[in-house]
Amino acid sequence: MESRPPERRALDALTAVALALPGLAVQADEARVELSVGHYEESQRELYGQRSEYQPISVDSQAVNVDTRLRDRLTLHFSYAQDTWSGATPIASAPLAYGPNQGSAVGDVLAGASPLLNGNYFVDAHGQARAFTLQPGSAGIALPVELRTVHVMSYASPETRRAGDFSLAYDGGVWAATLAGGLSVEEDYLSSYVALGARMDFQQKRTTLELTLRRAQADINAKLDQDARSYFDTTAYRAHLDFENTRDTHTATLRDNREDWTLAANLARVLNRHLLLAGGFEYTRSTGYQGNPYKVTEFVFADMRGAGTDFGLPGVPLLYDANARSLMEQRPDIRNQFTLHTEVAWDLERLNAALHLGYRYSHDDWDLSAHTFDLEWIQRLPQGWQVAPRLRYYTQGRADFYHPWLLVGEGIHYVDIDPADPSLGFREDYAWLPYKYFSSDHRLSAYGALSGGVGVVREFADGAVRLEAGAEYYVHAGRLKLGGGGERAFADFDGYLLNGSIALNLERAFAPKGNDEASHAHHHEPSAHGLAPAGLDHAHRPLRAGEFMAGYRYGYAQWSGDFLHGTHAVDNNAMLNQACTPAQCASVTREMSMNMHMLDLMYAPTDWLTLAIMPQLMDMRMALSNIPGAPQTGGHHHGGSGDDTHVTGGLGDTEFGALVKLYDAGLRSAHVGLMLRAPSGDYAIRHGNVRLGPFMHYDMQTGSGTWDLAPSLTWLGHWQAWSFGAQSAAVVRLEGANGAGYGLGHRFETSLWSGYALTDWLGVTLRATHTFQGRVRGHFKPAVFAAVSGPMDLPDNSGGRYFDIGAGLSAKVLQGRLSVEWLAPVSDDVNGFQRERAGTLFAGWQVGF
């Protein structure tokens, strides 16, 4: 039976709904940690008869949020988020009659490195795009009437965004003040912000006023590679292009900046213990570069003042020569946005449910107006369950400079490259165009979007543990625009979002239960004899019956030392002529890094058995360099040659199984780990996420593609403030090869370590580790997609024998234990030719109760 009074239940319900209100920043009043993951994926775009080689956009994300009370009235919030995305994205839209997505093809699948944009075509007297098709065996020419527009697709190289945010809040009772800031880092975009907030409560906290002032700035460093430069006209941004300070001479980098100021005010009123009403406004002024450097607008130039031609064929209308050109989009450097919103949160006590209704209106000086309607029903169920179906409808008009493509009733203009020296020739000139601003970005078009989803929540241990899972489906379509007049069907798409999270309320987890003081201390607190290096799996004692443990672990590894052949350093000449035998290598790894995020979840149904599951997310970054004198194979579309950077990321393999206690003699214990690894990671990532593109390097795949056994045997001991341990662990591949034709090698690792408790809350660890990593077996299949540009593309250049020394710290933090460890390489004995390791960093936090 629910023990809390009705007033408390109503307040909890209103608070839960208010957390979702866009205008309210509800400050956590209890220490909590939340870990979340998500996956978003879009559908294929409508290309009217052709199937794109590019995979749809997909995004894998993970985040950690921490709230803690520093002092009685001072709280700290910290969050870290990481998103890795890749796939196809529209760079423009163009007349379908011009076949902009054709390029080269394999069957009906697009396989060109670049979409076809520029060229010579025809328009009729009405300005409609026309194209000829020669009919075999006929002297005539068929002239199809094709009035549709289509998106021009290109791939988006995998990218990873990392963002960190913090807020420091002081609660003065009827008032509060907040200082917040954050940083977001991408390969081509660096942004930061700082914000000040104030809150005032009136009428015994039944009315709350919040004010927020925020300043954000961003630096854009967008690399335009040789493919883009072959059909993008960049004249309008020439002052911002850097051709010299770029490692690859075939690229240019657009460098610019942006600044945003935001002022927001929100008012919330508790009308009664069941009803909350909120509303507010927001104003944002943005200055600087507002565009997308990877998008263009298609211009069709046709001088229809002269004489056209019908080719002397009956039934053919008068046609005019047309030339298509692609210009980098140009948006205004200033944008003023205004937003109004209102929300209602209603606790329906008799139904044990809550209802949230929201409306949001925004308008800017680009003449873009939008309406958003939100509906969410939160149904509380017995035994800590909660189900929340939700529905959202969004509609907007078009920006005043949005055009799918533009017809200009004149031919292309030309000017001298150097007016002082006409002998240098001429270039195309677009400064005379009557359009100051233009964009074909579908996000600026008129459309509607409808999404529906459901969230499921389960709470355990009186709210100390909260598990949440959700799914949402999204439809973007011009036909859904309120009042009609939306963009045509070529811009339609849909997508889905899956997400999950675990939240730990630390104060509830460790709160005394009644007079049972022992219950407050009964949690799995690693003490001096529990010290273990942060980089080891399953190096702690198994849990006791009924205990639960959750944790987060982060790993970072880097390869940036010398090139090695076995144990010996080699020079560029050896890499050129020997590392890719019988051919010459074109490029080598300049440096590589790997990030791993793992969630640890463990539960012990008995004293001798602990069940565990450990999902993980991976992302890798590899920077390549040309070898002087090496043959060039055509850039990154052919396997990664040239100065380039490759990024991959996503879900890794998932480990699950059990820890079985062998014996526990107090000062000494031993247990065995019986774990399996499910092939949930991607083992066949291709360059540019292209369906028929070459495979990415073996080291850049996020999973093995095979079922693997991961056994371990661990011995633990302690004496006074000292702790000791030894572990042998392995990864045994249960299948010879995965679906892409290769299999990773077996891995065997042995570790010895010692720990010393400096105080009751701080300890140090030291360990020695020897690792054997088998080489990759087999190779990518079919071989035509296994392009070799460097040693990283050959299975013989993988695996080896390694010896490392690690040092770490372990401290009690937030009722759990925070551990860090740096693992420094002592010796590398590699198979074939490989880049030397620079070191590995591990950090983890675990809490049990």
Side-chain angles (χ1 to χ4, degrees):
M1 181 179 294
E2 177 64 69
S3 60
R4 290 174 295 173
E7 293 81 3
R8 182 66 233 179
R9 296 202 307 270
L11 181 58
D12 288 347
L14 290 178
T15 300
V17 179
L19 284 168
L21 302 184
L24 296 179
V26 179
Q27 188 72 28
D29 60 355
E30 295 177 306
R32 63 191 300 272
V33 177
E34 181 180 24
L35 304 172
S36 60
V37 296
H39 175 79
Y40 171 77
E41 187 168 320
E42 292 182 359
S43 64
Q44 290 277 9
R45 302 300 173 104
E46 176 58 76
L47 299 181
Y48 302 109
Q50 282 195 305
R51 184 166 58 93
S52 174
E53 61 167 327
Y54 306 126
Q55 302 284 3
I57 281 286
S58 64
V59 184
D60 290 296
S61 61
Q62 57 269 359
V64 56
N65 294 276
V66 178
D67 293 288
T68 184
R69 189 178 300 278
L70 301 179
R71 300 182 64 181
D72 183 42
R73 295 181 177 272
L74 189 64
T75 58
L76 173 67
H77 169 81
F78 171 78
S79 66
Y80 172 80
Q82 180 171 303
D83 311 311
T84 300
W85 64 276
S86 64
T89 184
I91 59 170
S93 50
L96 179 60
Y98 293 167
N101 284 298
Q102 290 178 1
S104 58
V106 177
D108 64 343
V109 180
L110 308 180
S114 305
L116 179 63
L117 283 171
N118 301 343
N120 301 321
Y121 306 100
F122 296 98
V123 297
D124 61 22
H126 302 288
Q128 299 293 347
R130 297 297 184 101
F132 284 132
T133 302
L134 292 175
Q135 298 296 328
S138 172
I141 299 178
L143 184 66
V145 178
E146 178 57 79
L147 304 181
R148 290 177 293 183
T149 296
V150 67
H151 270 147
V152 183
M153 305 300 294
S154 185
Y155 74 82
S157 298
E159 293 185 7
T160 298
R161 180 188 71 92
R162 299 177 178 86
D165 300 86
F166 83 93
S167 64
L168 193 63
Y170 182 83
D171 189 346
V174 297
W175 64 273
T178 303
L179 171 65
L183 181 68
S184 178
V185 180
E186 300 176 55
E187 198 70 32
D188 56 1
Y189 197 81
L190 175 65
S191 63
S192 61
Y193 78 90
V194 62
L196 296 173
R199 190 200 78 223
M200 291 292 297
D201 295 325
F202 306 94
Q203 300 174 326
Q204 298 179 332
K205 296 191 175 183
R206 296 175 66 87
T207 301
T208 298
L209 173 66
E210 290 187 350
L211 299 173
T212 304
L213 179 64
R214 171 183 167 125
R215 177 187 180 272
Q217 65 178 22
D219 294 318
I220 298 98
N221 294 278
K223 186 174 72 172
L224 308 179
D225 63 22
Q226 63 270 31
D227 295 325
R229 287 177 58 201
S230 67
Y231 55 83
F232 278 31
D233 179 82
T234 60
T235 305
Y237 295 102
R238 186 153 298 275
H240 299 282
L241 294 179
D242 183 352
F243 292 91
E244 297 180 357
N245 298 322
T246 305
R247 181 180 294 272
D248 186 346
T249 57
H250 296 289
T251 67
T253 301
L254 186 147
R255 305 188 192 278
D256 214 322
N257 53 71
R258 169 177 172 164
E259 182 179 57
D260 300 88
W261 283 92
T262 300
L263 176 64
N266 299 285
L267 185 67
R269 169 69 174 170
V270 178
L271 301 180
N272 56 52
R273 68 188 184 93
H274 296 292
L275 191 62
L276 180 146
L277 178 65
F281 80 91
E282 184 176 293
Y283 166 68
T284 299
R285 178 175 175 80
S286 304
T287 58
Y289 184 75
Q290 308 289 317
N292 186 324
Y294 307 113
K295 292 190 181 293
V296 298
T297 298
E298 189 79 351
F299 280 77
V300 177
F301 296 89
D303 188 354
M304 293 182 288
R305 296 171 297 184
T309 179
D310 61 5
F311 294 92
L313 297 174
V316 175
L318 202 61
L319 298 175
Y320 300 87
D321 288 330
N323 292 282
R325 294 292 185 270
S326 305
L327 278 63
M328 286 184 66
E329 69 167 24
Q330 298 180 40
R331 304 187 189 186
D333 290 335
I334 297 176
R335 187 180 189 183
N336 294 288
Q337 299 173 275
F338 303 86
T339 301
L340 297 174
H341 64 87
T342 182
E343 293 85 25
V344 176
W346 187 12
D347 175 44
L348 305 170
E349 185 176 16
R350 292 185 178 181
L351 299 177
N352 201 23
L355 176 67
H356 166 220
L357 299 172
Y359 169 73
R360 190 177 187 91
Y361 170 76
S362 63
H363 180 77
D364 62 25
D365 51 8
W366 294 358
D367 199 29
L368 198 159
S369 298
H371 306 266
T372 306
F373 303 88
D374 287 291
L375 169 66
E376 183 176 26
W377 180 275
I378 302 174
Q379 181 65 59
R380 298 182 292 275
L381 300 172
Q383 299 181 347
W385 286 94
Q386 180 176 290
V387 178
R390 56 186 177 269
L391 188 67
R392 169 173 289 188
Y393 172 66
Y394 174 86
T395 179
Q396 73 170 44
R398 60 179 288 274
D400 55 15
F401 54 86
Y402 167 79
H403 307 277
W405 57 277
L406 285 164
L407 174 67
V408 180
E410 299 183 36
I412 296 175
H413 290 196
Y414 298 89
V415 296
D416 291 330
I417 294 176
D418 184 355
D421 187 0
S423 65
L424 295 178
F426 54 86
R427 62 174 177 83
E428 295 179 359
D429 175 51
Y430 304 104
W432 58 275
L433 286 173
Y435 302 96
K436 184 177 181 180
Y437 304 118
F438 45 84
S439 173
S440 60
D441 190 334
H442 67 277
R443 293 169 295 187
L444 298 176
S445 68
Y447 69 91
L450 186 64
S451 63
V454 62
V456 179
V457 175
R458 175 70 160 94
E459 292 188 346
F460 302 88
D462 295 326
V465 180
R466 177 185 175 95
L467 299 179
E468 183 171 356
E472 186 167 332
Y473 185 73
Y474 172 89
V475 178
H476 171 119
R479 68 181 183 277
L480 294 177
K481 179 184 176 296
L482 187 66
E487 186 53 276
R488 287 160 288 176
F490 76 88
D492 294 352
F493 68 92
D494 54 9
Y496 68 88
L497 171 68
L498 303 175
N499 64 279
S501 68
I502 177 172
L504 306 177
N505 188 309
L506 303 180
E507 295 187 13
R508 294 188 185 184
F510 303 121
K513 307 298 190 295
N515 295 323
D516 184 7
E517 295 297 330
S519 66
H520 181 57
H522 184 71
H523 61 276
H524 194 72
E525 171 63 55
S527 57
H529 61 271
L531 292 176
L536 281 179
D537 293 336
H538 318 310
H540 55 78
R541 290 173 181 249
L543 306 181
R544 292 172 291 189
E547 287 186 332
F548 176 85
M549 187 166 71
Y552 164 79
R553 193 182 322 166
Y554 169 75
Y556 172 81
Q558 186 178 45
W559 293 258
S560 60
D562 295 330
F563 286 110
L564 299 179
H565 179 48
T567 59
H568 304 290
V570 295
D571 58 15
N572 281 334
N573 186 60
M575 298 300 293
L576 173 66
N577 296 301
Q578 300 176 35
C580 298
T581 303
Q584 286 186 320
C585 292
S587 62
V588 292
T589 303
R590 185 167 68 251
E591 93 176 317
M592 178 179 170
S593 61
M594 180 275 294
N595 292 277
M596 179 273 296
H597 305 267
M598 178 183 287
L599 179 63
D600 289 330
L601 296 175
M602 296 187 180
Y603 174 72
T606 70
D607 281 340
W608 62 270
L609 180 67
T610 297
L611 304 178
I613 183 170
M614 294 176 292
Q616 60 180 327
L617 288 145
M618 312 283 294
D619 70 86
M620 281 77 77
R621 179 182 184 275
M622 180 182 288
L624 304 178
S625 292
N626 290 322
I627 302 177
Q632 295 305 302
T633 58
H636 60 278
H637 297 292
H638 295 78
S641 68
D643 287 351
D644 206 351
T645 299
H646 298 157
V647 178
T648 61
L651 188 66
D653 289 347
T654 300
E655 185 169 308
F656 65 95
L659 302 182
V660 179
K661 184 187 299 183
L662 298 180
Y663 76 91
D664 188 346
L667 297 180
R668 292 171 297 279
S669 66
H671 62 272
V672 63
L674 302 174
M675 311 295 290
L676 281 174
R677 288 189 178 178
S680 52
D682 197 339
Y683 58 88
I685 301 173
R686 297 173 184 256
H687 284 276
N689 209 17
V690 180
R691 194 187 311 274
L692 295 180
F695 288 106
M696 191 70 77
H697 323 293
Y698 295 100
D699 288 339
M700 297 291 284
Q701 306 296 329
T702 63
S704 66
T706 58
W707 283 89
D708 305 326
L709 180 66
S712 62
L713 176 63
T714 305
W715 176 87
L716 301 172
H718 75 275
W719 176 73
Q720 296 183 358
W722 290 91
S723 59
F724 310 93
Q727 183 185 83
S728 291
V731 178
V732 180
R733 315 296 175 181
L734 300 180
E735 300 174 86
N738 55 35
Y742 71 95
L744 299 183
H746 304 305
R747 179 183 177 91
F748 301 94
E749 181 178 289
T750 301
S751 295
L752 300 173
W753 74 90
S754 177
Y756 182 77
L758 301 173
T759 69
D760 61 352
W761 65 272
L762 180 65
V764 295
T765 62
L766 181 69
R767 74 158 160 151
T769 296
H770 181 268
T771 304
F772 167 83
Q773 174 65 59
R775 71 181 74 223
V776 173
R777 299 164 294 166
H779 56 80
F780 284 120
K781 295 179 181 179
V784 67
F785 297 126
V788 176
S789 65
M792 58 281 181
D793 297 315
L794 293 172
D796 285 344
N797 298 320
S798 64
R801 291 149 294 281
Y802 311 98
F803 182 68
D804 303 90
I805 295 293
L809 292 172
S810 182
K812 294 181 182 179
V813 176
L814 294 175
Q815 304 284 356
R817 185 163 289 277
L818 175 67
S819 301
V820 295
E821 182 187 27
W822 173 254
L823 205 59
V826 175
S827 69
D828 289 19
D829 183 2
V830 303
N831 298 327
F833 295 82
Q834 298 180 47
R835 176 70 80 173
E836 187 179 22
R837 299 173 303 146
T840 307
L841 174 69
F842 294 101
W845 178 80
Q846 290 181 319
V847 62
F849 43 88

